[in-house]
């Protein structure tokens, strides 16, 4: 499980919708999140005598039941403390457990298997003096209540979910312009490497990444050449964005992604993925977050994230964070939270993703960051203009270089000396992340090499 779960702040209550019973609660869940959660635990806060919806928190269901107690406590604390930061402690909580049946399994079996998790969540919330009013399991097109003992309204075989678009919540969401963007699994599939249309594509992309790493990383770590690599990387990104913009996007997401993938050569994608491991390059690329640049940039960042195959999975943190930033900047908060959550899964220490994830979850306005990025771009443009107009022979006074920070593979490029190790990797456990709880030596040389060369920003 990733400790960086999705949360949202209090919802806007200007439009009053009354939901009656578990059936309407189950139907309302996708509209509250913006997508159909799959393999998820969702907690929703309720406020006041009428049970107004407030903040909510979502994370994946841990595979091991041994993780359920700490995860339940973490989720309860996260939701309640988040609501308190917004000024209102919840009066109650609704719990949702959403998981499709595995092979040979039924929805009823899923419900029974997850019953101890539901009880853990109820106990964790109760320990913080916030009761769970309802706990539902949603699986295989049906829902079950863990709280209602009346078989007349909550039979053992469960109740069938309402047809999409037929409920009062669906009507209200349509009126308010709220969209459900498919399932969580579908949103994630647009950002993760998957089956390709041509055999051997993953292997070819891996080899291209090996070559790009061996060629670019030494230059990126060289004080004299790093700025040249940044210029090359951003110039290539501009050309690919123009190429994507010239091709009309396809409405169907899966077809559109395959269409975009076909427009990027393996060596082009590899050069960009490696180049974006430099923090300054990534920050400059983040300036393409609005206007005509936003949509082709989002398509490019998603395509690059899908190319981070094999040993380069951690390199996806940069394009995933950029995809999440553009989605948030353009008003698509559900997609932004999914992308940023995957970025933190790829690298839990990636500071930029962590800050954006927190800001998006707390309902902050992205305009503050947009303003900062515009000012940075304008200052750089003005400095370049002054340099270009300076008389010949004028003293070359340049600002101090920002330190180059770059992610590398565990297999160091041939012929390049490994930089001196900085702060030692910590073996401190991280809640909800079993891999992070292992000693640094048990996680292999790849994580160690990454930490030697880069700070996770």
């Amino acid at each position: 499980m990733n400790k960086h779960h999705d949360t949202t702040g209090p919802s806007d209550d200007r439009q009053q919708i009354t939901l009656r019973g578990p059936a309407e609660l189950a139907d309302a869940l996708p509209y509250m999140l913006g997508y159909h959660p799959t393999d998820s635990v969702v907690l929703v806060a309720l406020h006041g005598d009428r049970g107004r919806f407030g903040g909510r928190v979502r994370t994946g269901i841990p595979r091991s039941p041994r993780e359920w107690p700490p995860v339940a406590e973490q989720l309860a604390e996260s939701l309640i403390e988040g609501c308190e930061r917004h000024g209102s402690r919840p009066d109650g909580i609704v719990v949702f457990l959403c998981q499709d049946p595995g092979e040979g399994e039924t929805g009823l079996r899923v419900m029974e298997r997850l019953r101890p998790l539901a009880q853990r969540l109820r106990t964790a919330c109760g320990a913080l003096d916030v009761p769970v009013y309802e706990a539902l399991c949603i699986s295989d097109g049906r829902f079950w209540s863990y709280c209602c003992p009346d078989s007349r309204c909550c039979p053992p075989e469960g109740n069938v979910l309402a047809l999409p678009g037929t409920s009062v919540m669906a009507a209200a969401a349509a009126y308010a312009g709220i969209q459900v963007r498919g399932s969580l699994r579908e949103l994630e599939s647009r950002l993760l490497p998957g089956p390709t249309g041509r055999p051997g594509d993953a292997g070819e992309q891996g080899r291209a990444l090996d070559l790009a790493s061996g060629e670019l990383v030494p230059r990126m770590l060289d004080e004299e050449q790093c700025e040249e690599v940044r210029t090359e990387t951003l110039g290539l990104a501009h050309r690919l964005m123009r190429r994507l913009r010239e091709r009309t996007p396809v409405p169907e997401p899966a077809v559109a992604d395959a269409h975009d993938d076909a427009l990027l050569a393996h060596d082009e994608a590899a050069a960009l993925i490696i180049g974006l491991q430099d923090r300054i390059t990534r920050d400059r690329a983040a300036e393409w977050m609005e206007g005509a640049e936003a949509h082709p940039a989002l398509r490019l960042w998603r395509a690059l994230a899908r190319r981070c195959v094999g040993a380069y999975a951690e390199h996806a943190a940069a394009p995933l964070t950029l995809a999440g930033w553009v989605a948030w900047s353009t008003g698509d908060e559900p997609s932004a939270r999914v992308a940023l959550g995957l970025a933190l899964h790829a690298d839990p220490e990636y500071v930029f993703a962590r800050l954006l994830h927190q800001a998006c979850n707390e309902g902050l306005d992205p305009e503050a960051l947009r303003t900062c990025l515009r000012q940075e771009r304008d200052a750089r443009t003005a400095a370049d203009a002054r340099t270009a107009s300076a008389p010949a022979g004028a003293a070359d006074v340049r600002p101090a270089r920002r330190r180059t920070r770059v992610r590398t593979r565990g297999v160091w490029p041939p012929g390049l000396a490994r930089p001196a190790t900085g702060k030692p990797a910590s073996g401190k456990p991280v809640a909800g992340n079993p891999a992070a709880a292992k000693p640094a030596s048990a996680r292999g040389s790849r994580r160690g090499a990454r930490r030697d060369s880069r700070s996770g920003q």
Side-chain angles (χ1 to χ4, degrees):
M1 171 195 157
N2 187 345
K3 70 171 182 174
H4 304 282
H5 40 261
D6 300 340
T7 62
T8 68
S11 58
D12 188 345
D13 62 345
R14 287 176 293 180
Q15 185 176 4
Q16 299 292 330
I17 304 171
T18 301
L19 302 180
R20 298 177 176 84
E24 293 186 355
L25 279 174
D27 180 73
L29 181 59
Y31 300 100
M32 287 190 279
L33 297 178
Y35 53 81
H36 293 275
T38 49
D39 196 30
S40 297
V41 184
V42 182
L43 273 63
V44 180
L46 301 177
H47 298 268
D49 296 336
R50 302 185 63 182
R52 175 179 55 84
F53 287 143
R56 63 220 65 163
V57 59
R58 187 215 69 85
T59 194
I61 296 177
R63 293 186 178 181
S64 173
R66 288 177 294 182
E67 296 182 58
W68 292 355
V71 167
E73 294 172 4
Q74 184 185 19
L75 290 175
E77 291 175 2
S78 178
L79 177 61
I80 294 169
E81 291 175 2
C83 290
E84 288 177 336
R85 283 197 301 270
H86 286 85
S88 178
R89 183 179 177 84
D91 296 293
I93 290 175
V94 176
V95 172
F96 299 88
L97 299 178
C98 309
Q99 191 172 71
D100 293 332
E103 185 176 356
E105 198 174 30
T106 64
L108 178 60
R109 175 60 186 147
V110 171
M111 184 272 294
E112 292 294 349
R113 176 167 50 80
L114 296 179
R115 185 183 292 275
L117 175 57
Q119 184 58 38
R120 290 286 187 180
L121 290 163
R122 296 174 69 182
T123 302
C125 295
L128 298 175
D129 297 324
V130 181
V132 170
Y133 291 159
E134 182 62 271
L136 299 177
C137 176
I138 301 175
S139 180
D140 199 23
R142 292 178 174 267
F143 68 89
W144 290 261
S145 171
Y146 291 114
C147 297
C148 179
D150 192 343
S151 61
R152 292 173 297 179
C153 61
C154 298
E157 67 274 14
N159 287 296
V160 179
L161 290 168
L163 293 175
T166 61
S167 66
V168 62
M169 187 69 181
Y175 179 78
I178 298 174
Q179 296 181 351
V180 177
R181 296 167 175 83
S183 69
L184 174 61
R185 187 176 294 112
E186 291 169 343
L187 292 179
E188 290 180 338
S189 69
R190 306 198 70 183
L191 301 162
L192 296 172
T196 59
R198 299 185 300 274
D201 270 5
E204 291 178 19
Q205 186 62 68
R207 287 188 289 274
L209 285 162
D210 286 337
L211 291 172
S213 180
E215 176 187 351
L216 294 177
V217 170
R219 297 175 61 203
M220 294 165 71
L221 295 176
D222 185 281
E223 289 292 332
E224 300 300 323
Q225 299 186 60
C226 60
E227 191 62 37
E228 181 181 341
V229 176
R230 289 170 190 149
T231 301
E232 293 172 2
T233 301
L234 294 172
L236 175 59
H238 265 298
R239 293 194 298 274
L240 294 180
M241 286 169 55
R242 184 165 58 249
R243 188 185 301 170
L244 291 169
R245 189 186 299 116
E246 290 171 353
R247 303 296 180 93
T248 304
V250 181
E252 177 61 33
V255 178
D257 293 342
H259 183 267
D260 289 348
D261 289 339
L263 296 176
L264 272 65
H266 294 304
D267 58 341
E268 293 173 327
L272 268 184
I273 290 168
I274 300 301
L276 287 173
Q277 305 311 305
D278 173 62
R279 179 166 57 87
I280 298 174
T281 305
R282 181 210 64 198
D283 290 350
R284 292 178 183 174
E287 296 168 2
W288 307 327
M289 74 291 188
E290 57 188 345
E293 294 176 324
H295 187 57
L298 178 59
R299 292 167 62 188
L300 177 59
W301 307 144
R302 285 195 302 232
L304 293 180
R306 295 191 295 267
R307 298 294 187 98
C308 294
V309 297
Y312 291 89
E314 289 186 358
H315 287 63
L320 284 169
T321 301
L322 290 171
W325 161 234
V326 176
W328 182 37
S329 177
T330 54
D332 187 356
E333 290 188 11
S335 296
R337 287 193 291 271
V338 171
L340 294 170
L342 288 176
L344 291 168
H345 181 76
D347 183 356
E349 300 173 11
Y350 205 69
V351 177
F352 190 32
R354 197 159 65 229
L355 294 174
L356 288 176
H357 197 247
Q358 180 179 352
C360 181
N361 286 338
E362 293 187 355
L364 301 182
D365 190 346
E367 180 58 24
L369 180 54
R370 283 196 295 258
T371 300
C372 180
L373 289 172
R374 293 187 201 109
Q375 292 172 346
E376 182 83 11
R377 178 180 55 200
D378 293 344
R380 190 173 64 254
T381 302
D384 291 343
R386 286 194 300 269
T387 301
S389 61
D396 185 12
V397 180
R398 299 182 181 180
R401 290 183 181 270
R402 292 166 64 185
R403 182 181 176 187
T404 300
R405 294 178 176 177
V406 55
R407 180 202 299 276
T408 61
R409 279 195 64 189
V411 180
W412 203 251
L416 177 65
R418 185 185 298 275
T421 303
K423 188 180 296 183
S426 169
K428 181 180 179 181
V430 178
N433 190 344
K438 299 177 182 177
S441 60
R443 278 177 269 163
S445 61
R446 184 163 61 93
R447 175 62 64 97
R450 178 178 61 79
R451 291 192 177 186
D452 287 347
S453 58
R454 178 184 167 285
S455 67
Q457 295 187 10

